[in-house]
Amino acid sequence: MLNIVLFGPPGAGKGTQAARLIDKYELVHLSTGDILRAEIKAESQLGKEAKNFMEKGELVPDSVVIGMIETKIDSNLSAKGFIFDGFPRTTAQALALDTMLTKKHLSITLMLALEVDDDELIKRLLLRGKDSGRADDQDQKIIENRIHVYNKETAPVIDFYDNQNKFKAVTGVGSIDEIFGRLCNAIDAVK
Ligand code: AMP
């Protein structure tokens, strides 16, 4: 299996690039943000719990997202691989993912981290908020909190994969095609 962690701050372009990568490499897209938004829409218990955190730009508790991811992996075990988008977002999640994959005789192949500076992220998210309808993309204060949470709780996940020699930084600025080309080159180098 080709298992990629597509990493980066909110607004780095993970969703856009994941959509292309799943097409090219025939992978299953696992976006915890998308799964959580679907749970909120369905008004499930999990959705109700997650909503309060998401509205403030805080992280949903590790136990909730780890359980969600395991369910999705288990229902796609015959896939050619997975793209993890927006997960893991804490070192505890990264550890839990490694343990979970090892149990299933699987592992992460590569972590690709899209790098974009904060001013560009805020600009992109406010623009996305205009037509995505996502409340957390429409309020500059919430956006800034999400970037703050990323720097504090999520960025350390880089060290986790760097220590396993699986980390690769990719410039997330340029045209969608250019960025996609950089990601494909990095994947093809390890495939
Ligand atoms: P995203 O669509 O990835 O930007 O995620 C939107 C929101 O969902 C985040 O601001 C968090 O509140 C929540 N979320 C998504 N993925 C995770 C995760 N792996 N761990 C904790 N919270 C998450």
Side-chain angles (χ1 to χ4, degrees), residues 32-33 36-37 54 58 60 65 86-87 89 93 134 146:
T32 40
L36 289 166
R37 280 183 289 276
M54 292 170 77
E58 299 292 337
V60 172
V65 284
F87 179 91
R89 246 176 165 102
Q93 291 179 20
R134 276 181 61 171
R146 286 159 66 202

Side-chain angles (χ1 to χ4, degrees), residues 11 14 24 58 76 103 117 125 151 183:
K14 300 186 294 293
K24 174 160 175 168
E58 299 292 337
N76 288 286
K103 250 185 358 204
D117 71 52
L125 287 168
N151 287 326
L183 293 171

Side-chain angles (χ1 to χ4, degrees), residues 9-11 14 31-34 36-37 50-51 53-62 65-66 68-69 85-90 93 125 128 134 136-137 142 146 149 154:
K14 300 186 294 293
S31 155
T32 40
D34 285 354
L36 289 166
R37 280 183 289 276
K51 195 165 185 261
F53 296 98
M54 292 170 77
E55 277 174 351
K56 292 185 228 140
E58 299 292 337
L59 295 183
V60 172
D62 287 338
V65 284
I66 291 164
M68 249 169 48
I69 280 283
D85 165 1
F87 179 91
R89 246 176 165 102
T90 62
Q93 291 179 20
L125 287 168
R128 185 170 83 183
R134 276 181 61 171
D136 61 345
D137 282 346
I142 296 174
R146 286 159 66 202
V149 168
T154 305

